[in-house]
Every structure is written in C-alpha cells, then in structure tokens.
Amino acid sequence: MGILLLMARERVPRVMRGEIPMASIAVERDAYPLKARLLSNNFDNQFQLPVLFYVGALLAILFQPGWPEVVLAWLFVATRYVHAYIHVTHNRVGKRFMAYAAGLAVLALFWLWLILRLLILAPSI
C-alpha cells in the first residue's frame, strides 16, 4: 500500500496539472518521470514473488505454522522491503538483484519446509 500511495502522489498531480496528457499514458508509462516509473515498476513487481508467498502463508496458517514458517515469513517480508527501498531510491540493479535473489531463496526455503512438514513430517508432528 505504501508503494501505491507514493505512486499516486507522483503521478496524479502531474496529470491533474496537465504536465502529462492522458493520451500519452493511455497505453505506455514512458511519459511519466523516472521516479514515477520506478514506483510503478516496483508496484508491478509486488505481484510476482509475493503471490507465491501469500499462497504459502495461507497454507501455513491453515495448518498452524511453527517457528520455522514464522521466521522464514518475516525474513521474506524483510527482503521485500529492502528490494522496494532499493528499487524506488537509488535503483542500483546489482543490489536490487541481490535483494530479489535473497527473497527468492528465503521463499524457496519457506516452501520446501512447508512441503516437508505437511507431506513428510505431518504424521509425526
């Protein structure tokens, strides 16, 4: 929601003042300044890995999460905040990729643990 609000603050006033004609943003976002495009790209990015996280988190909640799921979930959330911060500030691609890769690794561990717990360890837990 924070990224969405920042994006609105960057985009809406420019359109309302007539700086950016509606026709120039009807299909592409290129008419927006760099900051607005970065926020928009980051907002779009929040519908990639996080969707896998949401499904896993709901599954974990359904089966009462243990401490490994909780720790991995918070680590994933932290990596997303770091990624978003890098994306909408200095946008150094190398650092942004490292934050993304860290989030992906944590998410993979989250899912591996969840699958292990539910399919293999479930009878013994």
Side-chain angles (χ1 to χ4, degrees), residues 49-58 72-74 76-77 107 110-111:
L49 286 184
V51 172
L52 296 173
F53 171 72
Y54 303 145
V55 172
L58 286 172
L72 290 168
W74 279 110
F76 178 74
V77 169
L107 186 60
F110 179 87
W111 269 98

Side-chain angles (χ1 to χ4, degrees), residues 42-89:
N42 185 262
F43 185 76
D44 291 348
N45 191 261
Q46 298 307 319
F47 294 96
Q48 295 169 1
L49 286 184
V51 172
L52 296 173
F53 171 72
Y54 303 145
V55 172
L58 286 172
L59 192 59
I61 290 168
L62 183 64
F63 291 98
Q64 299 178 349
W67 68 267
E69 289 98 340
V70 173
V71 169
L72 290 168
W74 279 110
L75 282 172
F76 178 74
V77 169
T79 66
R80 295 309 299 163
Y81 273 98
V82 170
H83 179 270
Y85 175 79
I86 293 167
H87 204 172
V88 301
T89 58

